[in-house]
Amino acid sequence: MRTSPRLSLNNGVLIDQLGFGLYKVPAAEAEGLVATALAAGYRHFDTAAMYGNETGVARGISSQLDAGSGSGGSGELFPPLSREDVFVTTKVWNDHHGFDATLRAFDDSMVNLGLDYVDMYLIHWPCPRRGLFTETYRALETLYREGRVRAIGVSNFQPAHLDRLLAGAEVVPAVNQIELHPWLQQEELRSKHADLGIRTEAWSPLGRGQVLADPVIQACAAEHGRTPAQVILRWHMQLGNIAIPKASSEARIRENLDVFNFELSARDMAAINALDRGQRTGSHPDNVN
Ligand SMILES: NC(=O)C1=CN([C@@H]2O[C@H](COP(=O)(O)OP(=O)(O)OC[C@H]3O[C@@H](n4cnc5c(N)ncnc54)[C@H](OP(=O)(O)O)[C@@H]3O)[C@@H](O)[C@H]2O)C=CC1
Ligand SMILES: O=C(O)C(=O)[C@@H](O)[C@H](O)C(=O)CO
Protein backbone atom coordinates (compact mmCIF):
# COMPACT_ATOMS: atom_id res chain seq x y z
CA MET A 1 0.00 0.00 0.00
CA ARG A 2 1.09 3.62 -0.66
CA THR A 3 2.59 5.21 2.46
CA SER A 4 3.37 8.81 1.53
CA PRO A 5 0.70 11.48 1.29
CA ARG A 6 0.36 13.01 -2.15
CA LEU A 7 0.61 16.65 -3.17
CA SER A 8 -1.17 18.22 -6.10
CA LEU A 9 1.02 19.69 -8.84
CA ASN A 10 -0.09 22.90 -10.59
CA ASN A 11 -1.95 20.87 -13.26
CA GLY A 12 -3.80 18.70 -10.71
CA VAL A 13 -1.54 15.65 -11.11
CA LEU A 14 -0.78 14.02 -7.75
CA ILE A 15 2.76 13.21 -6.65
CA ASP A 16 3.92 11.30 -3.56
CA GLN A 17 5.60 13.79 -1.27
CA LEU A 18 8.28 11.26 -0.33
CA GLY A 19 9.89 9.38 -3.19
CA PHE A 20 12.99 7.29 -3.80
CA GLY A 21 16.13 8.68 -5.46
CA LEU A 22 18.37 6.58 -7.69
CA TYR A 23 21.52 8.58 -8.39
CA LYS A 24 24.64 6.37 -8.37
CA VAL A 25 22.59 3.18 -8.26
CA PRO A 26 23.84 0.79 -10.96
CA ALA A 27 21.06 -0.57 -13.22
CA ALA A 28 21.53 -4.10 -11.91
CA GLU A 29 20.97 -2.92 -8.33
CA ALA A 30 18.17 -0.52 -9.23
CA GLU A 31 15.88 -3.42 -10.08
CA GLY A 32 16.09 -4.94 -6.58
CA LEU A 33 16.00 -1.60 -4.75
CA VAL A 34 12.94 -0.41 -6.64
CA ALA A 35 11.15 -3.70 -5.97
CA THR A 36 12.06 -3.44 -2.27
CA ALA A 37 10.93 0.18 -2.14
CA LEU A 38 7.60 -0.67 -3.80
CA ALA A 39 7.02 -3.44 -1.28
CA ALA A 40 7.84 -0.98 1.52
CA GLY A 41 5.22 1.50 0.25
CA TYR A 42 7.14 3.92 -2.01
CA ARG A 43 5.32 4.82 -5.21
CA HIS A 44 7.51 7.63 -6.57
CA PHE A 45 10.90 7.06 -8.23
CA ASP A 46 13.42 9.65 -9.36
CA THR A 47 15.80 8.62 -12.11
CA ALA A 48 17.54 10.37 -15.03
CA ALA A 49 19.10 9.45 -18.35
CA MET A 50 22.44 10.39 -16.79
CA TYR A 51 22.04 7.80 -13.98
CA GLY A 52 22.23 4.97 -16.53
CA ASN A 53 19.70 2.93 -14.57
CA GLU A 54 16.36 3.60 -16.30
CA THR A 55 16.28 -0.02 -17.51
CA GLY A 56 16.83 -1.31 -13.94
CA VAL A 57 14.11 0.98 -12.60
CA ALA A 58 11.76 -0.35 -15.29
CA ARG A 59 12.54 -3.95 -14.40
CA GLY A 60 11.99 -3.24 -10.69
CA ILE A 61 8.59 -1.71 -11.39
CA SER A 62 7.42 -4.35 -13.82
CA SER A 63 8.47 -7.11 -11.40
CA GLN A 64 5.84 -5.74 -9.00
CA LEU A 65 3.07 -4.83 -11.46
CA ASP A 66 0.10 -7.12 -11.10
CA ALA A 67 1.82 -8.74 -8.13
CA GLY A 68 0.33 -8.25 -4.65
CA SER A 69 1.72 -4.93 -3.34
CA GLY A 70 2.46 -6.17 0.18
CA SER A 71 3.70 -3.64 2.71
CA GLY A 72 5.52 -5.67 5.30
CA GLY A 73 5.12 -9.40 5.00
CA SER A 74 2.21 -9.59 7.41
CA GLY A 75 0.36 -11.96 5.12
CA GLU A 76 -2.42 -9.42 4.44
CA LEU A 77 -3.68 -9.26 0.86
CA PHE A 78 -3.36 -5.96 -1.00
CA PRO A 79 -4.74 -5.02 -4.40
CA PRO A 80 -2.33 -5.64 -7.27
CA LEU A 81 -0.07 -2.75 -8.20
CA SER A 82 -0.89 -1.09 -11.50
CA ARG A 83 1.11 1.34 -13.66
CA GLU A 84 -1.15 4.22 -12.56
CA ASP A 85 -0.10 3.69 -8.92
CA VAL A 86 3.53 4.53 -9.68
CA PHE A 87 5.04 7.97 -10.36
CA VAL A 88 8.25 7.95 -12.42
CA THR A 89 10.40 11.02 -13.03
CA THR A 90 13.26 11.09 -15.48
CA LYS A 91 15.38 13.94 -16.83
CA VAL A 92 17.03 15.13 -20.03
CA TRP A 93 20.78 15.34 -19.61
CA ASN A 94 22.91 18.38 -20.40
CA ASP A 95 24.33 17.13 -23.70
CA HIS A 96 20.81 16.76 -25.14
CA HIS A 97 19.66 20.34 -24.77
CA GLY A 98 17.90 21.79 -27.83
CA PHE A 99 14.48 20.99 -29.29
CA ASP A 100 15.23 17.98 -31.51
CA ALA A 101 17.91 16.51 -29.27
CA THR A 102 15.55 16.59 -26.30
CA LEU A 103 12.78 14.83 -28.22
CA ARG A 104 15.29 12.13 -29.18
CA ALA A 105 16.54 11.84 -25.59
CA PHE A 106 12.96 11.45 -24.40
CA ASP A 107 12.35 8.64 -26.90
CA ASP A 108 15.47 6.88 -25.62
CA SER A 109 14.30 7.21 -22.02
CA MET A 110 10.87 5.83 -22.96
CA VAL A 111 12.52 2.80 -24.56
CA ASN A 112 14.71 2.29 -21.49
CA LEU A 113 11.76 2.64 -19.15
CA GLY A 114 9.44 0.55 -21.32
CA LEU A 115 6.57 2.87 -20.45
CA ASP A 116 3.74 4.35 -22.53
CA TYR A 117 4.08 7.64 -20.68
CA VAL A 118 6.38 9.22 -18.11
CA ASP A 119 4.85 10.92 -15.06
CA MET A 120 7.32 13.80 -14.97
CA TYR A 121 10.11 14.93 -17.29
CA LEU A 122 12.64 17.51 -16.09
CA ILE A 123 15.47 19.55 -17.55
CA HIS A 124 18.27 18.20 -15.36
CA TRP A 125 20.43 21.36 -15.25
CA PRO A 126 19.88 24.78 -16.88
CA CYS A 127 23.41 24.81 -18.37
CA PRO A 128 23.33 28.60 -18.82
CA ARG A 129 26.46 28.71 -20.97
CA ARG A 130 24.87 26.40 -23.56
CA GLY A 131 22.00 28.91 -23.75
CA LEU A 132 19.47 26.28 -24.87
CA PHE A 133 17.17 25.72 -21.92
CA THR A 134 14.22 27.69 -23.32
CA GLU A 135 14.38 25.66 -26.53
CA THR A 136 14.74 22.47 -24.49
CA TYR A 137 11.68 23.43 -22.48
CA ARG A 138 9.67 23.92 -25.70
CA ALA A 139 10.33 20.24 -26.41
CA LEU A 140 9.02 19.35 -22.95
CA GLU A 141 5.89 21.42 -23.63
CA THR A 142 5.41 19.51 -26.90
CA LEU A 143 5.70 16.16 -25.09
CA TYR A 144 3.24 17.41 -22.47
CA ARG A 145 0.70 18.52 -25.08
CA GLU A 146 1.07 15.14 -26.83
CA GLY A 147 0.21 13.37 -23.56
CA ARG A 148 3.50 11.50 -23.42
CA VAL A 149 4.31 13.03 -20.05
CA ARG A 150 1.85 13.99 -17.30
CA ALA A 151 3.90 16.87 -15.88
CA ILE A 152 6.99 18.81 -16.89
CA GLY A 153 9.45 20.78 -14.85
CA VAL A 154 13.01 21.81 -14.23
CA SER A 155 15.88 21.04 -11.91
CA ASN A 156 18.68 23.21 -10.56
CA PHE A 157 17.13 26.41 -11.91
CA GLN A 158 18.20 29.59 -10.16
CA PRO A 159 15.77 32.55 -9.88
CA ALA A 160 17.19 34.21 -13.01
CA HIS A 161 16.86 30.97 -15.01
CA LEU A 162 13.21 30.67 -13.96
CA ASP A 163 12.53 34.27 -14.99
CA ARG A 164 14.05 33.69 -18.40
CA LEU A 165 12.18 30.42 -18.86
CA LEU A 166 8.82 31.84 -17.81
CA ALA A 167 9.16 34.82 -20.18
CA GLY A 168 8.59 32.42 -23.11
CA ALA A 169 6.89 29.41 -21.52
CA GLU A 170 3.29 28.36 -22.03
CA VAL A 171 3.30 25.78 -19.23
CA VAL A 172 4.52 26.78 -15.77
CA PRO A 173 6.95 24.08 -14.55
CA ALA A 174 5.31 21.74 -12.05
CA VAL A 175 8.46 21.45 -9.94
CA ASN A 176 11.98 22.78 -9.58
CA GLN A 177 14.13 19.97 -8.18
CA ILE A 178 16.99 21.60 -6.26
CA GLU A 179 19.59 20.71 -3.67
CA LEU A 180 17.88 21.33 -0.34
CA HIS A 181 18.57 20.12 3.20
CA PRO A 182 19.07 21.73 6.62
CA TRP A 183 22.48 23.14 5.64
CA LEU A 184 21.16 24.61 2.35
CA GLN A 185 17.58 25.76 2.81
CA GLN A 186 17.07 27.77 -0.39
CA GLU A 187 14.60 30.22 1.14
CA GLU A 188 14.64 32.66 -1.77
CA LEU A 189 13.86 29.92 -4.29
CA ARG A 190 11.21 28.32 -2.10
CA SER A 191 9.36 31.58 -1.75
CA LYS A 192 9.61 32.26 -5.49
CA HIS A 193 8.25 28.77 -6.19
CA ALA A 194 5.33 29.41 -3.83
CA ASP A 195 4.52 32.66 -5.67
CA LEU A 196 4.63 30.91 -9.05
CA GLY A 197 2.77 27.69 -8.12
CA ILE A 198 5.90 25.56 -8.60
CA ARG A 199 6.47 22.72 -6.12
CA THR A 200 9.87 22.60 -4.45
CA GLU A 201 11.48 19.17 -4.76
CA ALA A 202 14.52 18.51 -2.57
CA TRP A 203 17.41 16.55 -4.02
CA SER A 204 20.02 15.21 -1.61
CA PRO A 205 17.42 15.80 1.11
CA LEU A 206 19.83 14.27 3.65
CA GLY A 207 22.75 16.33 2.33
CA ARG A 208 24.16 13.09 0.86
CA GLY A 209 24.17 11.70 4.40
CA GLN A 210 26.44 14.46 5.74
CA VAL A 211 23.76 16.36 7.66
CA LEU A 212 22.87 13.27 9.71
CA ALA A 213 25.80 14.01 12.02
CA ASP A 214 24.70 17.56 12.81
CA PRO A 215 24.42 17.84 16.63
CA VAL A 216 21.07 19.67 16.46
CA ILE A 217 19.62 16.90 14.29
CA GLN A 218 21.10 14.25 16.57
CA ALA A 219 19.62 15.90 19.66
CA CYS A 220 16.21 16.25 18.05
CA ALA A 221 16.31 12.58 16.99
CA ALA A 222 17.16 11.49 20.53
CA GLU A 223 14.35 13.60 21.95
CA HIS A 224 11.78 12.01 19.63
CA GLY A 225 13.20 8.47 19.76
CA ARG A 226 13.72 8.69 16.00
CA THR A 227 16.75 8.50 13.71
CA PRO A 228 18.49 11.59 12.30
CA ALA A 229 17.30 10.67 8.80
CA GLN A 230 13.71 10.53 9.99
CA VAL A 231 14.00 13.93 11.67
CA ILE A 232 15.38 15.55 8.51
CA LEU A 233 12.78 13.93 6.26
CA ARG A 234 10.01 14.92 8.66
CA TRP A 235 11.30 18.51 8.51
CA HIS A 236 11.02 18.38 4.71
CA MET A 237 7.46 17.02 4.94
CA GLN A 238 6.38 19.74 7.36
CA LEU A 239 7.91 22.43 5.11
CA GLY A 240 5.83 21.08 2.21
CA ASN A 241 8.82 19.93 0.16
CA ILE A 242 8.79 16.86 -2.04
CA ALA A 243 11.85 14.79 -1.01
CA ILE A 244 13.58 11.88 -2.74
CA PRO A 245 16.13 10.26 -0.39
CA LYS A 246 18.31 7.47 -1.74
CA ALA A 247 19.20 4.45 0.41
CA SER A 248 20.86 1.13 -0.30
CA SER A 249 19.45 -1.27 2.27
CA GLU A 250 15.94 -2.45 2.99
CA ALA A 251 16.25 -1.24 6.59
CA ARG A 252 17.10 2.32 5.50
CA ILE A 253 14.52 2.28 2.72
CA ARG A 254 11.84 1.46 5.29
CA GLU A 255 13.26 3.81 7.94
CA ASN A 256 13.14 6.78 5.55
CA LEU A 257 9.49 6.22 4.74
CA ASP A 258 8.47 5.84 8.38
CA VAL A 259 8.03 9.57 9.02
CA PHE A 260 4.28 10.00 8.92
CA ASN A 261 3.45 9.07 12.51
CA PHE A 262 5.26 11.76 14.49
CA GLU A 263 5.50 15.55 14.40
CA LEU A 264 8.24 18.09 14.96
CA SER A 265 7.20 20.95 17.22
CA ALA A 266 7.49 24.61 16.23
CA ARG A 267 10.59 24.72 18.45
CA ASP A 268 12.16 21.74 16.64
CA MET A 269 11.39 23.31 13.26
CA ALA A 270 12.93 26.62 14.35
CA ALA A 271 16.07 24.86 15.63
CA ILE A 272 16.51 23.06 12.28
CA ASN A 273 15.69 26.21 10.30
CA ALA A 274 18.56 27.89 12.15
CA LEU A 275 21.05 25.38 10.68
CA ASP A 276 21.09 26.98 7.23
CA ARG A 277 24.64 27.84 6.20
CA GLY A 278 24.34 27.89 2.44
CA GLN A 279 26.48 24.77 2.17
CA ARG A 280 26.20 22.75 -1.03
CA THR A 281 27.15 19.08 -1.34
CA GLY A 282 26.84 19.25 -5.14
CA SER A 283 27.68 21.72 -7.87
CA HIS A 284 26.38 25.27 -8.16
CA PRO A 285 23.96 25.39 -11.13
CA ASP A 286 25.84 28.29 -12.75
CA ASN A 287 28.92 26.06 -12.97
CA VAL A 288 27.39 23.02 -14.67
CA ASN A 289 27.30 23.16 -18.46
N1 LIG B 1 18.49 16.87 -10.00
C1 LIG B 1 19.73 16.74 -9.59
O1 LIG B 1 20.64 17.41 -10.09
C2 LIG B 1 20.06 15.81 -8.52
C3 LIG B 1 19.11 14.87 -8.13
N2 LIG B 1 19.39 13.99 -7.12
C4 LIG B 1 18.33 13.05 -6.74
O2 LIG B 1 18.17 13.09 -5.31
C5 LIG B 1 18.32 11.77 -4.80
C6 LIG B 1 18.86 11.78 -3.37
O3 LIG B 1 20.07 12.46 -3.32
P1 LIG B 1 21.45 11.78 -2.90
O4 LIG B 1 22.53 12.60 -3.50
O5 LIG B 1 21.40 10.36 -3.25
O6 LIG B 1 21.55 12.05 -1.36
P2 LIG B 1 20.65 11.81 -0.04
O7 LIG B 1 20.59 13.11 0.65
O8 LIG B 1 19.41 11.10 -0.37
O9 LIG B 1 21.60 10.90 0.82
C7 LIG B 1 21.93 9.61 0.43
C8 LIG B 1 23.05 9.14 1.37
O10 LIG B 1 22.52 9.04 2.69
C9 LIG B 1 22.65 7.70 3.15
N3 LIG B 1 21.41 7.34 3.86
C10 LIG B 1 20.16 7.27 3.34
N4 LIG B 1 19.27 6.95 4.29
C11 LIG B 1 19.96 6.81 5.43
C12 LIG B 1 19.60 6.47 6.75
N5 LIG B 1 18.33 6.24 7.07
N6 LIG B 1 20.58 6.40 7.70
C13 LIG B 1 21.87 6.66 7.38
N7 LIG B 1 22.28 6.98 6.14
C14 LIG B 1 21.33 7.06 5.16
C15 LIG B 1 22.82 6.85 1.91
O11 LIG B 1 23.57 5.72 2.23
P3 LIG B 1 23.35 4.27 1.53
O12 LIG B 1 23.05 4.53 0.09
O13 LIG B 1 24.64 3.60 1.79
O14 LIG B 1 22.19 3.63 2.23
C16 LIG B 1 23.58 7.79 0.99
O15 LIG B 1 24.95 7.79 1.32
C17 LIG B 1 19.26 11.12 -5.81
O16 LIG B 1 19.32 9.74 -5.65
C18 LIG B 1 18.67 11.60 -7.09
O17 LIG B 1 17.49 10.89 -7.41
C19 LIG B 1 20.60 14.03 -6.46
C20 LIG B 1 21.57 14.91 -6.84
C21 LIG B 1 21.37 15.88 -7.90
O1 LIG C 1 22.53 13.32 -9.19
C1 LIG C 1 22.28 14.12 -10.10
O2 LIG C 1 21.18 14.15 -10.64
C2 LIG C 1 23.32 15.07 -10.53
O3 LIG C 1 23.15 15.73 -11.51
C3 LIG C 1 24.48 15.24 -9.69
O4 LIG C 1 24.69 14.57 -8.61
C4 LIG C 1 25.57 16.02 -10.25
O5 LIG C 1 26.24 15.32 -11.17
C5 LIG C 1 26.35 16.73 -9.22
O6 LIG C 1 25.84 17.14 -8.21
C6 LIG C 1 27.74 17.01 -9.48
O7 LIG C 1 28.22 17.73 -8.41
Side-chain angles (χ1 to χ4, degrees):
M1 300 285 273
R2 154 174 288 112
T3 302
S4 169
R6 288 190 287 179
L7 298 177
S8 180
L9 300 174
N10 57 14
N11 62 355
V13 166
L14 298 176
I15 184 169
D16 292 69
Q17 194 178 2
L18 192 74
F20 188 73
L22 284 133
Y23 178 48
K24 285 205 171 151
V25 177
E29 284 164 38
E31 177 176 355
L33 288 181
V34 167
T36 300
L38 281 167
Y42 290 78
R43 294 291 180 267
H44 164 189
F45 298 92
D46 183 79
T47 182
M50 188 274 262
Y51 301 170
N53 58 22
E54 290 171 316
T55 51
V57 172
R59 280 196 299 270
I61 292 172
S62 58
S63 74
Q64 301 300 298
L65 288 185
D66 302 321
S69 59
S71 74
S74 61
E76 291 168 73
L77 287 177
F78 295 113
L81 187 73
S82 65
R83 164 69 185 96
E84 294 71 39
D85 295 322
V86 184
F87 192 102
V88 179
T89 298
T90 192
K91 316 182 191 91
V92 55
W93 186 240
N94 306 345
D95 55 2
H96 284 93
H97 277 216
F99 188 82
D100 292 333
T102 296
L103 293 181
R104 282 196 299 274
F106 182 79
D107 284 342
D108 290 345
S109 285
M110 290 285 269
V111 169
N112 289 338
L113 288 165
L115 298 174
D116 296 333
Y117 63 88
V118 167
D119 295 281
M120 190 153 71
Y121 199 44
L122 305 181
I123 301 181
H124 205 141
W125 292 85
C127 303
R129 282 202 288 284
R130 287 180 194 256
L132 289 172
F133 65 73
T134 51
E135 206 184 301
T136 303
Y137 195 71
R138 266 203 307 118
L140 268 59
E141 290 181 321
T142 299
L143 294 166
Y144 179 64
R145 274 194 291 271
E146 290 174 352
R148 301 183 75 199
V149 37
R150 295 171 69 221
I152 55 176
V154 296
S155 176
N156 297 302
F157 274 48
Q158 296 283 98
H161 306 138
L162 283 177
D163 290 340
R164 204 173 124 205
L165 186 85
L166 287 168
E170 288 174 8
V171 179
V172 175
V175 306
N176 186 13
Q177 186 185 111
I178 53 172
E179 181 175 353
L180 202 172
H181 43 72
W183 290 351
L184 181 74
Q185 297 192 17
Q186 303 265 27
E187 249 193 274
E188 182 192 356
L189 262 173
R190 283 194 285 127
S191 110
K192 190 173 180 81
H193 294 163
D195 290 345
L196 294 168
I198 297 173
R199 289 277 182 197
T200 299
E201 179 167 7
W203 65 252
S204 296
L206 305 173
R208 304 199 190 215
Q210 294 166 35
V211 185
L212 301 172
D214 188 289
V216 170
I217 301 292
Q218 296 262 339
C220 192
E223 202 177 303
H224 285 272
R226 293 287 173 157
T227 66
Q230 289 172 328
V231 164
I232 296 174
L233 293 170
R234 182 69 210 176
W235 172 81
H236 282 288
M237 297 299 99
Q238 289 184 214
L239 282 183
N241 299 335
I242 299 163
I244 45 170
K246 174 240 175 193
S248 308
S249 67
E250 180 171 357
R252 285 181 177 176
I253 286 172
R254 288 186 179 276
E255 173 187 327
N256 292 350
L257 194 58
D258 184 18
V259 298
F260 298 106
N261 51 7
F262 77 107
E263 193 147 356
L264 297 174
S265 66
R267 193 171 55 92
D268 297 327
M269 291 296 286
I272 301 174
N273 292 344
L275 296 179
D276 190 17
R277 55 198 208 202
Q279 185 172 324
R280 291 181 188 274
T281 64
S283 306
H284 190 289
D286 284 337
N287 300 331
V288 175
N289 275 285

